Amino acid sequence: MTNKPSRSGAILSRGSWAETSRITDILRKETVGGIVLLIAAGAALVWANTPWADTYFALRDTRVGGQPFGLHLDLTLGTWAADGLLAIFFFIVGLELKREFVAGDLRDPARAVLPIAAAVGGMVVPALIFVAVLSQTEPDALRGWAIPTATDIAFAVAVLAVISTHLPSALRIFLLTLAVVDDLLAILVIAVFYTEDIEVWALAGALVPLALFTVCVQRRIRSWWLLIPLALATWVLMHESGVHATVAGVLLGLVVPVWRSAEAGGPDAGPGLAEHFEHRLRPLSAGVAIPAFAFFAAGVSLGGLSGLTAALTEPVALGIIAGLVIGKPLGIFGTTRVLASVTRAQLDSSLRWIDVLGMSMLAGIGFTVSLLIGDLAYGLGSDRDELVKVGVLAGSLIAAALAAVVLVSRNAAYRRIQQLESVDDDRDGVPDVYQTRQD
Protein backbone atom coordinates (compact mmCIF):
# COMPACT_ATOMS: atom_id res chain seq x y z
CA MET A 1 0.00 0.00 0.00
CA THR A 2 1.54 3.28 -1.07
CA ASN A 3 0.93 6.73 0.37
CA LYS A 4 1.86 8.50 -2.82
CA PRO A 5 -0.82 10.85 -4.19
CA SER A 6 -2.94 9.55 -7.03
CA ARG A 7 -1.74 10.28 -10.53
CA SER A 8 -4.20 12.62 -12.24
CA GLY A 9 -3.84 10.75 -15.54
CA ALA A 10 -4.43 7.31 -14.05
CA ILE A 11 -7.65 5.36 -14.45
CA LEU A 12 -9.91 5.74 -11.39
CA SER A 13 -7.66 8.36 -9.82
CA ARG A 14 -8.88 10.18 -6.71
CA GLY A 15 -11.11 13.15 -7.50
CA SER A 16 -11.24 16.55 -5.84
CA TRP A 17 -12.32 16.92 -2.23
CA ALA A 18 -15.42 18.87 -3.25
CA GLU A 19 -16.55 16.06 -5.56
CA THR A 20 -15.66 13.36 -3.05
CA SER A 21 -17.54 14.99 -0.17
CA ARG A 22 -20.60 15.62 -2.36
CA ILE A 23 -20.79 12.03 -3.58
CA THR A 24 -20.17 10.66 -0.09
CA ASP A 25 -23.18 12.64 1.13
CA ILE A 26 -25.34 11.39 -1.75
CA LEU A 27 -24.40 7.76 -1.16
CA ARG A 28 -25.09 8.13 2.56
CA LYS A 29 -28.66 9.20 1.77
CA GLU A 30 -29.04 6.49 -0.88
CA THR A 31 -27.96 3.89 1.68
CA VAL A 32 -30.96 4.68 3.88
CA GLY A 33 -33.26 4.69 0.85
CA GLY A 34 -31.79 1.42 -0.37
CA ILE A 35 -32.50 -0.30 2.94
CA VAL A 36 -36.10 0.98 2.87
CA LEU A 37 -36.35 -0.27 -0.74
CA LEU A 38 -35.22 -3.76 0.30
CA ILE A 39 -37.75 -3.82 3.13
CA ALA A 40 -40.57 -2.72 0.80
CA ALA A 41 -39.65 -5.27 -1.88
CA GLY A 42 -39.32 -8.02 0.72
CA ALA A 43 -42.71 -7.17 2.22
CA ALA A 44 -44.36 -7.31 -1.22
CA LEU A 45 -42.71 -10.64 -2.04
CA VAL A 46 -43.80 -12.17 1.27
CA TRP A 47 -47.36 -10.80 1.02
CA ALA A 48 -47.74 -12.06 -2.56
CA ASN A 49 -46.89 -15.59 -1.39
CA THR A 50 -49.23 -15.83 1.58
CA PRO A 51 -52.84 -17.04 1.69
CA TRP A 52 -53.78 -13.34 1.50
CA ALA A 53 -51.99 -12.80 -1.83
CA ASP A 54 -55.24 -11.79 -3.54
CA THR A 55 -55.47 -8.73 -1.31
CA TYR A 56 -52.00 -7.60 -2.41
CA PHE A 57 -52.84 -7.86 -6.10
CA ALA A 58 -56.24 -6.23 -5.50
CA LEU A 59 -54.48 -3.32 -3.81
CA ARG A 60 -51.95 -3.02 -6.63
CA ASP A 61 -54.71 -3.02 -9.24
CA THR A 62 -57.05 -0.60 -7.43
CA ARG A 63 -57.89 2.29 -9.73
CA VAL A 64 -57.56 5.84 -8.45
CA GLY A 65 -58.26 9.06 -10.33
CA GLY A 66 -60.49 9.90 -13.24
CA GLN A 67 -60.63 11.48 -16.68
CA PRO A 68 -60.91 15.23 -16.13
CA PHE A 69 -60.95 17.18 -19.43
CA GLY A 70 -60.64 13.84 -21.26
CA LEU A 71 -57.25 13.05 -19.67
CA HIS A 72 -56.49 9.39 -18.97
CA LEU A 73 -55.66 9.58 -15.28
CA ASP A 74 -57.79 6.69 -13.99
CA LEU A 75 -54.72 4.60 -13.16
CA THR A 76 -54.05 1.67 -10.86
CA LEU A 77 -51.95 2.22 -7.75
CA GLY A 78 -49.19 0.20 -9.39
CA THR A 79 -49.24 2.48 -12.42
CA TRP A 80 -49.35 5.62 -10.29
CA ALA A 81 -46.22 4.38 -8.55
CA ALA A 82 -44.45 3.60 -11.84
CA ASP A 83 -45.55 6.68 -13.80
CA GLY A 84 -46.07 9.19 -11.02
CA LEU A 85 -43.80 8.53 -8.04
CA LEU A 86 -40.90 7.41 -10.22
CA ALA A 87 -41.06 10.80 -11.96
CA ILE A 88 -39.71 12.22 -8.68
CA PHE A 89 -36.83 9.75 -8.83
CA PHE A 90 -36.10 10.68 -12.43
CA PHE A 91 -36.28 14.38 -11.54
CA ILE A 92 -33.40 13.70 -9.12
CA VAL A 93 -31.66 11.81 -11.94
CA GLY A 94 -32.04 14.89 -14.15
CA LEU A 95 -30.59 17.12 -11.44
CA GLU A 96 -27.68 14.75 -10.95
CA LEU A 97 -27.02 14.54 -14.69
CA LYS A 98 -27.00 18.33 -14.94
CA ARG A 99 -24.68 18.56 -11.94
CA GLU A 100 -22.26 15.98 -13.38
CA PHE A 101 -22.10 17.60 -16.82
CA VAL A 102 -21.78 21.17 -15.49
CA ALA A 103 -19.70 20.83 -12.33
CA GLY A 104 -18.85 17.15 -11.86
CA ASP A 105 -16.54 14.60 -13.44
CA LEU A 106 -18.48 14.50 -16.71
CA ARG A 107 -17.58 18.12 -17.51
CA ASP A 108 -13.97 17.00 -18.07
CA PRO A 109 -13.80 14.93 -21.29
CA ALA A 110 -10.72 13.07 -20.07
CA ARG A 111 -12.47 11.93 -16.88
CA ALA A 112 -15.86 11.42 -18.56
CA VAL A 113 -14.62 8.90 -21.13
CA LEU A 114 -14.29 6.02 -18.66
CA PRO A 115 -17.73 6.08 -16.97
CA ILE A 116 -19.51 6.80 -20.26
CA ALA A 117 -17.71 4.00 -22.11
CA ALA A 118 -18.17 1.61 -19.18
CA ALA A 119 -21.89 2.43 -18.97
CA VAL A 120 -22.33 1.84 -22.71
CA GLY A 121 -20.46 -1.46 -22.45
CA GLY A 122 -22.58 -2.35 -19.43
CA MET A 123 -25.69 -1.81 -21.51
CA VAL A 124 -24.70 -3.39 -24.82
CA VAL A 125 -23.30 -6.70 -23.52
CA PRO A 126 -26.27 -7.59 -21.24
CA ALA A 127 -28.68 -6.75 -24.08
CA LEU A 128 -26.76 -9.02 -26.47
CA ILE A 129 -26.72 -11.85 -23.95
CA PHE A 130 -30.47 -11.48 -23.35
CA VAL A 131 -31.14 -11.59 -27.09
CA ALA A 132 -28.87 -14.63 -27.50
CA VAL A 133 -30.67 -16.56 -24.74
CA LEU A 134 -34.10 -15.74 -26.20
CA SER A 135 -33.12 -16.12 -29.87
CA GLN A 136 -35.15 -19.31 -30.26
CA THR A 137 -38.32 -17.98 -28.61
CA GLU A 138 -41.20 -15.87 -29.93
CA PRO A 139 -40.03 -12.57 -31.49
CA ASP A 140 -42.16 -10.45 -29.16
CA ALA A 141 -40.26 -11.86 -26.18
CA LEU A 142 -37.24 -9.89 -27.38
CA ARG A 143 -39.01 -6.65 -26.40
CA GLY A 144 -37.43 -7.10 -23.00
CA TRP A 145 -33.85 -6.77 -24.28
CA ALA A 146 -33.24 -3.63 -22.17
CA ILE A 147 -34.35 -5.15 -18.84
CA PRO A 148 -30.87 -6.33 -17.72
CA THR A 149 -29.11 -3.12 -18.80
CA ALA A 150 -29.91 -0.95 -15.75
CA THR A 151 -28.06 -0.41 -12.46
CA ASP A 152 -29.90 0.36 -9.21
CA ILE A 153 -27.63 2.65 -7.18
CA ALA A 154 -29.85 2.58 -4.06
CA PHE A 155 -29.87 -1.23 -3.96
CA ALA A 156 -26.11 -1.27 -4.61
CA VAL A 157 -25.20 1.08 -1.78
CA ALA A 158 -27.55 -0.80 0.54
CA VAL A 159 -25.48 -3.91 -0.19
CA LEU A 160 -22.33 -1.95 0.58
CA ALA A 161 -23.85 -0.91 3.92
CA VAL A 162 -24.83 -4.48 4.78
CA ILE A 163 -21.34 -5.87 4.10
CA SER A 164 -19.78 -2.80 5.80
CA THR A 165 -17.14 -2.20 3.16
CA HIS A 166 -14.96 0.94 3.16
CA LEU A 167 -14.86 1.98 -0.49
CA PRO A 168 -12.11 4.44 -1.47
CA SER A 169 -13.30 7.75 -2.88
CA ALA A 170 -12.25 6.82 -6.44
CA LEU A 171 -14.50 3.75 -6.42
CA ARG A 172 -17.43 5.68 -4.89
CA ILE A 173 -17.14 8.35 -7.59
CA PHE A 174 -16.86 5.69 -10.31
CA LEU A 175 -19.94 3.85 -9.03
CA LEU A 176 -22.17 6.93 -8.81
CA THR A 177 -20.99 8.44 -12.10
CA LEU A 178 -21.50 5.09 -13.81
CA ALA A 179 -25.02 4.89 -12.37
CA VAL A 180 -25.82 8.45 -13.49
CA VAL A 181 -24.78 7.73 -17.09
CA ASP A 182 -26.62 4.40 -16.87
CA ASP A 183 -29.82 6.23 -15.87
CA LEU A 184 -29.41 8.63 -18.80
CA LEU A 185 -29.09 5.73 -21.22
CA ALA A 186 -32.09 4.02 -19.62
CA ILE A 187 -34.25 7.11 -20.11
CA LEU A 188 -33.18 7.33 -23.77
CA VAL A 189 -34.05 3.65 -24.23
CA ILE A 190 -37.47 4.11 -22.60
CA ALA A 191 -38.25 7.21 -24.68
CA VAL A 192 -37.06 5.73 -28.00
CA PHE A 193 -37.83 2.00 -27.83
CA TYR A 194 -40.83 1.81 -25.48
CA THR A 195 -42.93 4.59 -26.96
CA GLU A 196 -45.47 3.36 -29.48
CA ASP A 197 -48.29 5.79 -30.28
CA ILE A 198 -47.46 9.48 -29.83
CA GLU A 199 -50.08 12.19 -29.41
CA VAL A 200 -48.32 15.15 -31.02
CA TRP A 201 -50.65 17.75 -29.52
CA ALA A 202 -49.91 16.55 -25.97
CA LEU A 203 -46.17 16.31 -26.59
CA ALA A 204 -46.11 19.82 -28.01
CA GLY A 205 -48.34 21.03 -25.18
CA ALA A 206 -45.91 19.65 -22.59
CA LEU A 207 -43.29 22.07 -23.89
CA VAL A 208 -45.34 25.05 -22.70
CA PRO A 209 -45.34 24.35 -18.93
CA LEU A 210 -41.80 23.00 -19.28
CA ALA A 211 -40.69 26.31 -20.83
CA LEU A 212 -42.46 28.30 -18.08
CA PHE A 213 -40.84 26.09 -15.43
CA THR A 214 -37.45 26.74 -17.08
CA VAL A 215 -37.97 30.51 -16.98
CA CYS A 216 -38.95 30.37 -13.32
CA VAL A 217 -35.98 28.29 -12.15
CA GLN A 218 -33.53 30.30 -14.26
CA ARG A 219 -34.80 33.38 -12.40
CA ARG A 220 -34.35 31.51 -9.09
CA ILE A 221 -38.05 31.44 -8.29
CA ARG A 222 -38.65 28.86 -5.54
CA SER A 223 -42.38 29.37 -4.98
CA TRP A 224 -43.88 25.91 -4.66
CA TRP A 225 -47.37 27.16 -5.58
CA LEU A 226 -45.98 28.10 -9.01
CA LEU A 227 -43.38 25.40 -9.71
CA ILE A 228 -45.40 22.36 -8.63
CA PRO A 229 -48.41 23.11 -10.89
CA LEU A 230 -46.06 23.68 -13.86
CA ALA A 231 -44.25 20.41 -13.13
CA LEU A 232 -47.56 18.55 -12.78
CA ALA A 233 -48.84 20.01 -16.05
CA THR A 234 -45.66 18.90 -17.80
CA TRP A 235 -46.06 15.41 -16.34
CA VAL A 236 -49.75 15.11 -17.26
CA LEU A 237 -49.21 16.20 -20.88
CA MET A 238 -46.17 13.93 -21.23
CA HIS A 239 -48.28 11.07 -19.90
CA GLU A 240 -51.01 11.88 -22.43
CA SER A 241 -48.49 12.04 -25.28
CA GLY A 242 -47.63 8.35 -25.03
CA VAL A 243 -44.03 9.00 -24.01
CA HIS A 244 -43.42 7.49 -20.60
CA ALA A 245 -44.26 10.13 -18.01
CA THR A 246 -40.98 9.69 -16.11
CA VAL A 247 -39.23 11.39 -19.05
CA ALA A 248 -40.91 14.59 -17.85
CA GLY A 249 -39.07 14.24 -14.56
CA VAL A 250 -35.69 14.08 -16.28
CA LEU A 251 -36.45 17.07 -18.52
CA LEU A 252 -37.58 19.15 -15.55
CA GLY A 253 -34.40 18.27 -13.68
CA LEU A 254 -32.15 19.11 -16.61
CA VAL A 255 -33.40 22.71 -16.87
CA VAL A 256 -32.66 23.57 -13.23
CA PRO A 257 -29.48 25.70 -12.93
CA VAL A 258 -26.52 24.21 -11.10
CA TRP A 259 -24.86 27.57 -10.42
CA ARG A 260 -26.33 30.93 -9.52
CA SER A 261 -27.00 33.22 -12.45
CA ALA A 262 -24.43 35.75 -13.70
CA GLU A 263 -26.54 38.47 -12.16
CA ALA A 264 -26.04 36.81 -8.80
CA GLY A 265 -22.30 36.77 -9.16
CA GLY A 266 -21.56 33.84 -11.48
CA PRO A 267 -20.42 30.35 -10.47
CA ASP A 268 -18.28 31.72 -7.65
CA ALA A 269 -21.43 32.98 -5.95
CA GLY A 270 -22.30 29.40 -4.98
CA PRO A 271 -24.66 26.58 -5.93
CA GLY A 272 -27.94 27.16 -7.72
CA LEU A 273 -31.40 25.68 -7.37
CA ALA A 274 -30.28 22.17 -8.36
CA GLU A 275 -28.65 21.62 -4.98
CA HIS A 276 -31.63 23.16 -3.18
CA PHE A 277 -34.14 20.88 -4.96
CA GLU A 278 -31.94 17.82 -4.58
CA HIS A 279 -31.57 18.45 -0.84
CA ARG A 280 -35.34 18.79 -0.46
CA LEU A 281 -36.50 15.99 -2.76
CA ARG A 282 -33.86 13.25 -2.50
CA PRO A 283 -35.26 12.01 0.86
CA LEU A 284 -38.75 11.91 -0.72
CA SER A 285 -37.39 9.99 -3.71
CA ALA A 286 -35.24 7.55 -1.74
CA GLY A 287 -37.57 7.13 1.22
CA VAL A 288 -41.01 7.15 -0.44
CA ALA A 289 -41.09 7.09 -4.25
CA ILE A 290 -38.66 4.22 -4.93
CA PRO A 291 -39.82 2.01 -2.02
CA ALA A 292 -43.47 2.51 -3.04
CA PHE A 293 -42.66 1.53 -6.61
CA ALA A 294 -40.68 -1.47 -5.35
CA PHE A 295 -43.60 -2.52 -3.17
CA PHE A 296 -46.06 -2.56 -6.07
CA ALA A 297 -43.59 -3.90 -8.64
CA ALA A 298 -41.78 -6.66 -6.74
CA GLY A 299 -44.77 -8.72 -5.63
CA VAL A 300 -44.87 -11.99 -7.55
CA SER A 301 -46.58 -15.24 -6.63
CA LEU A 302 -43.89 -17.89 -6.89
CA GLY A 303 -46.13 -20.90 -6.37
CA GLY A 304 -43.76 -22.55 -3.93
CA LEU A 305 -40.34 -24.04 -4.61
CA SER A 306 -41.56 -25.93 -7.68
CA GLY A 307 -43.05 -22.76 -9.15
CA LEU A 308 -39.85 -20.81 -8.50
CA THR A 309 -37.76 -23.56 -10.09
CA ALA A 310 -40.01 -23.63 -13.14
CA ALA A 311 -39.86 -19.82 -13.47
CA LEU A 312 -36.08 -19.81 -13.27
CA THR A 313 -35.88 -22.20 -16.22
CA GLU A 314 -37.94 -19.93 -18.48
CA PRO A 315 -35.91 -18.12 -21.21
CA VAL A 316 -37.05 -14.63 -20.10
CA ALA A 317 -35.85 -15.16 -16.54
CA LEU A 318 -32.65 -16.88 -17.67
CA GLY A 319 -31.89 -14.08 -20.12
CA ILE A 320 -32.30 -11.44 -17.42
CA ILE A 321 -30.19 -13.34 -14.89
CA ALA A 322 -27.43 -13.97 -17.44
CA GLY A 323 -27.53 -10.33 -18.52
CA LEU A 324 -27.23 -8.97 -14.98
CA VAL A 325 -24.79 -11.51 -13.53
CA ILE A 326 -22.57 -12.08 -16.57
CA GLY A 327 -23.32 -9.30 -19.05
CA LYS A 328 -22.99 -6.32 -16.71
CA PRO A 329 -19.57 -7.27 -15.28
CA LEU A 330 -18.31 -8.38 -18.67
CA GLY A 331 -19.43 -5.16 -20.34
CA ILE A 332 -18.15 -2.76 -17.69
CA PHE A 333 -14.93 -4.55 -16.75
CA GLY A 334 -14.12 -5.47 -20.35
CA THR A 335 -14.68 -1.93 -21.60
CA THR A 336 -12.48 -0.52 -18.84
CA ARG A 337 -9.65 -2.95 -19.62
CA VAL A 338 -9.86 -2.24 -23.34
CA LEU A 339 -9.86 1.51 -22.70
CA ALA A 340 -6.80 1.17 -20.46
CA SER A 341 -5.03 -0.91 -23.09
CA VAL A 342 -5.82 1.46 -25.95
CA THR A 343 -4.84 4.62 -24.06
CA ARG A 344 -1.94 2.90 -22.24
CA ALA A 345 -3.25 4.35 -19.02
CA GLN A 346 -2.40 2.70 -15.72
CA LEU A 347 -4.85 1.91 -12.96
CA ASP A 348 -4.39 4.21 -9.98
CA SER A 349 -1.58 2.96 -7.74
CA SER A 350 -3.87 2.45 -4.73
CA LEU A 351 -6.26 0.12 -6.58
CA ARG A 352 -6.22 -3.28 -8.28
CA TRP A 353 -8.17 -4.64 -11.23
CA ILE A 354 -10.13 -6.86 -8.87
CA ASP A 355 -11.60 -3.64 -7.45
CA VAL A 356 -12.93 -2.73 -10.89
CA LEU A 357 -14.33 -6.26 -11.20
CA GLY A 358 -16.11 -5.87 -7.85
CA MET A 359 -17.68 -2.59 -8.96
CA SER A 360 -18.70 -4.20 -12.25
CA MET A 361 -20.40 -7.05 -10.40
CA LEU A 362 -22.16 -4.59 -8.09
CA ALA A 363 -23.53 -2.80 -11.17
CA GLY A 364 -25.34 -6.04 -11.99
CA ILE A 365 -27.94 -5.08 -9.39
CA GLY A 366 -30.67 -3.79 -11.68
CA PHE A 367 -33.78 -3.60 -9.58
CA THR A 368 -35.88 -0.41 -9.97
CA VAL A 369 -35.37 0.60 -13.62
CA SER A 370 -35.21 -3.06 -14.72
CA LEU A 371 -38.66 -3.69 -13.24
CA LEU A 372 -39.96 -0.51 -14.88
CA ILE A 373 -38.67 -1.58 -18.30
CA GLY A 374 -40.15 -5.03 -17.73
CA ASP A 375 -43.58 -3.46 -17.16
CA LEU A 376 -43.20 -1.42 -20.36
CA ALA A 377 -41.96 -4.39 -22.40
CA TYR A 378 -44.55 -6.99 -21.45
CA GLY A 379 -47.33 -5.22 -19.53
CA LEU A 380 -47.91 -5.04 -15.78
CA GLY A 381 -49.32 -8.31 -14.43
CA SER A 382 -48.72 -10.35 -17.62
CA ASP A 383 -47.19 -13.83 -17.48
CA ARG A 384 -43.88 -12.56 -18.82
CA ASP A 385 -43.96 -9.66 -16.39
CA GLU A 386 -44.05 -12.20 -13.56
CA LEU A 387 -40.99 -13.90 -15.08
CA VAL A 388 -39.29 -10.51 -15.28
CA LYS A 389 -39.74 -10.05 -11.55
CA VAL A 390 -38.30 -13.49 -10.81
CA GLY A 391 -35.36 -12.86 -13.14
CA VAL A 392 -34.61 -9.37 -11.83
CA LEU A 393 -34.85 -10.41 -8.18
CA ALA A 394 -32.74 -13.54 -8.67
CA GLY A 395 -30.19 -11.82 -10.90
CA SER A 396 -29.82 -8.83 -8.57
CA LEU A 397 -29.38 -11.05 -5.51
CA ILE A 398 -26.80 -13.24 -7.25
CA ALA A 399 -24.92 -10.16 -8.51
CA ALA A 400 -25.01 -8.67 -5.00
CA ALA A 401 -23.69 -11.87 -3.42
CA LEU A 402 -20.83 -12.22 -5.91
CA ALA A 403 -19.87 -8.55 -5.58
CA ALA A 404 -19.95 -8.87 -1.78
CA VAL A 405 -17.47 -11.77 -1.88
CA VAL A 406 -15.02 -9.77 -4.03
CA LEU A 407 -15.36 -6.50 -2.13
CA VAL A 408 -15.17 -8.05 1.34
CA SER A 409 -11.93 -9.78 0.32
CA ARG A 410 -10.47 -6.32 -0.35
CA ASN A 411 -11.94 -4.59 2.68
CA ALA A 412 -8.66 -4.46 4.62
CA ALA A 413 -7.01 -2.60 1.74
CA TYR A 414 -10.02 -0.29 1.45
CA ARG A 415 -9.82 0.48 5.15
CA ARG A 416 -6.18 1.55 4.80
CA ILE A 417 -7.01 3.79 1.85
CA GLN A 418 -9.94 5.32 3.72
CA GLN A 419 -7.72 6.07 6.71
CA LEU A 420 -5.23 7.80 4.40
CA GLU A 421 -8.05 9.82 2.85
CA SER A 422 -9.23 10.94 6.31
CA VAL A 423 -5.97 12.37 7.70
CA ASP A 424 -6.27 16.12 8.29
CA ASP A 425 -3.16 17.15 10.22
CA ASP A 426 -3.61 20.86 9.58
CA ARG A 427 -7.26 20.67 10.73
CA ASP A 428 -8.57 22.83 7.91
CA GLY A 429 -11.48 20.52 7.09
CA VAL A 430 -9.87 19.14 3.92
CA PRO A 431 -7.96 15.82 4.16
CA ASP A 432 -4.26 16.32 3.43
CA VAL A 433 -4.15 13.81 0.58
CA TYR A 434 -6.45 16.01 -1.52
CA GLN A 435 -4.30 19.06 -0.93
CA THR A 436 -1.15 17.09 -1.80
CA ARG A 437 -2.75 16.02 -5.04
CA GLN A 438 -3.47 19.60 -6.04
CA ASP A 439 0.01 20.97 -5.25
Side-chain angles (χ1 to χ4, degrees):
M1 180 68 195
T2 178
N3 287 349
K4 294 187 298 183
S6 302
R7 299 186 299 273
S8 59
I11 290 181
L12 294 184
S13 59
R14 187 180 297 114
S16 67
W17 171 241
E19 185 74 354
T20 297
S21 58
R22 183 183 72 87
I23 286 180
T24 298
D25 182 59
I26 290 174
L27 294 183
R28 187 180 299 114
K29 294 175 182 176
E30 291 290 352
T31 299
V32 176
I35 293 173
V36 177
L37 179 154
L38 295 179
I39 294 173
L45 195 58
V46 170
W47 190 357
N49 287 277
T50 66
W52 304 279
D54 289 345
T55 60
Y56 167 80
F57 294 111
L59 177 64
R60 184 195 67 184
D61 297 334
T62 298
R63 288 193 171 272
V64 177
Q67 297 188 14
F69 309 107
L71 300 174
H72 302 86
L73 297 177
D74 53 334
L75 309 176
T76 65
L77 288 177
T79 304
W80 274 114
D83 290 12
L85 290 179
L86 272 195
I88 301 173
F89 163 72
F90 280 108
F91 178 72
I92 299 298
V93 170
L95 293 176
E96 189 60 38
L97 280 168
K98 183 72 171 288
R99 176 67 175 77
E100 285 295 326
F101 280 110
V102 172
D105 275 359
L106 297 182
R107 77 184 188 281
D108 180 3
R111 292 184 68 88
V113 168
L114 177 60
I116 291 176
V120 171
M123 171 172 280
V124 172
V125 177
L128 292 176
I129 289 178
F130 181 89
V131 171
V133 172
L134 275 76
S135 60
Q136 302 301 316
T137 61
E138 297 89 344
D140 59 339
L142 296 178
R143 277 183 54 81
W145 64 268
I147 295 171
T149 65
T151 295
D152 193 311
I153 185 65
F155 198 149
V157 295
V159 171
L160 292 176
V162 169
I163 64 177
S164 189
T165 190
H166 301 73
L167 281 188
S169 63
L171 294 182
R172 292 198 300 267
I173 291 173
F174 177 68
L175 177 63
L176 184 62
T177 309
L178 180 71
V180 167
V181 178
D182 193 284
D183 287 334
L184 172 61
L185 295 175
I187 276 293
L188 292 175
V189 166
I190 289 171
V192 174
F193 295 99
Y194 293 100
T195 298
E196 296 178 354
D197 300 322
I198 296 180
E199 294 288 347
V200 178
W201 69 267
L203 188 60
L207 298 178
V208 176
L210 177 62
L212 294 174
F213 182 90
T214 303
V215 171
C216 290
V217 294
Q218 291 296 330
R219 294 189 176 187
R220 298 185 59 77
I221 295 175
R222 301 188 182 190
S223 304
W224 63 268
W225 55 267
L226 180 59
L227 296 181
I228 291 179
L230 290 174
L232 288 175
T234 304
W235 180 88
V236 169
L237 289 168
M238 189 68 71
H239 180 269
E240 288 297 302
S241 74
V243 177
H244 199 266
T246 52
V247 174
V250 176
L251 294 177
L252 289 165
L254 287 174
V255 302
V256 178
V258 171
W259 298 114
R260 294 180 183 175
S261 63
E263 292 78 8
D268 292 336
L273 282 183
E275 184 174 297
H276 171 74
F277 288 152
E278 186 175 348
H279 177 73
R280 292 293 185 89
L281 294 178
R282 188 177 288 277
L284 178 62
S285 171
V288 178
I290 297 178
F293 169 76
F295 176 77
F296 287 113
V300 55
S301 182
L302 300 175
L305 182 59
S306 59
L308 175 60
T309 303
L312 290 173
T313 61
E314 289 290 332
V316 170
L318 287 175
I320 294 170
I321 294 171
L324 291 173
V325 177
I326 300 173
K328 270 290 187 180
L330 187 60
I332 295 171
F333 182 80
T335 301
T336 306
R337 285 304 301 251
V338 168
L339 192 63
S341 179
V342 170
T343 61
R344 297 184 179 179
Q346 297 293 320
L347 192 65
D348 189 83
S349 59
S350 64
L351 302 176
R352 302 290 181 268
W353 280 109
I354 192 173
D355 302 322
V356 182
L357 179 61
M359 289 292 98
S360 303
M361 290 177 170
L362 196 65
I365 299 173
F367 191 76
T368 303
V369 178
S370 291
L371 291 176
L372 174 61
I373 294 176
D375 289 348
L376 297 176
Y378 300 128
L380 181 64
S382 66
D383 291 339
R384 284 183 179 145
D385 185 51
E386 300 296 298
L387 296 176
V388 167
K389 294 175 182 179
V390 172
V392 169
L393 289 168
S396 296
L397 290 174
I398 294 171
L402 294 175
V405 171
V406 173
L407 295 175
V408 167
S409 71
R410 289 280 293 159
N411 209 22
Y414 295 158
R415 190 176 294 110
R416 290 194 295 271
I417 298 172
Q418 188 181 60
Q419 289 173 350
L420 172 64
E421 294 177 341
S422 302
V423 175
D424 183 19
D425 289 335
D426 56 8
R427 301 182 184 278
D428 63 350
V430 179
D432 300 335
V433 69
Y434 294 95
Q435 295 172 317
T436 302
R437 181 184 179 277
Q438 295 168 357
D439 291 342

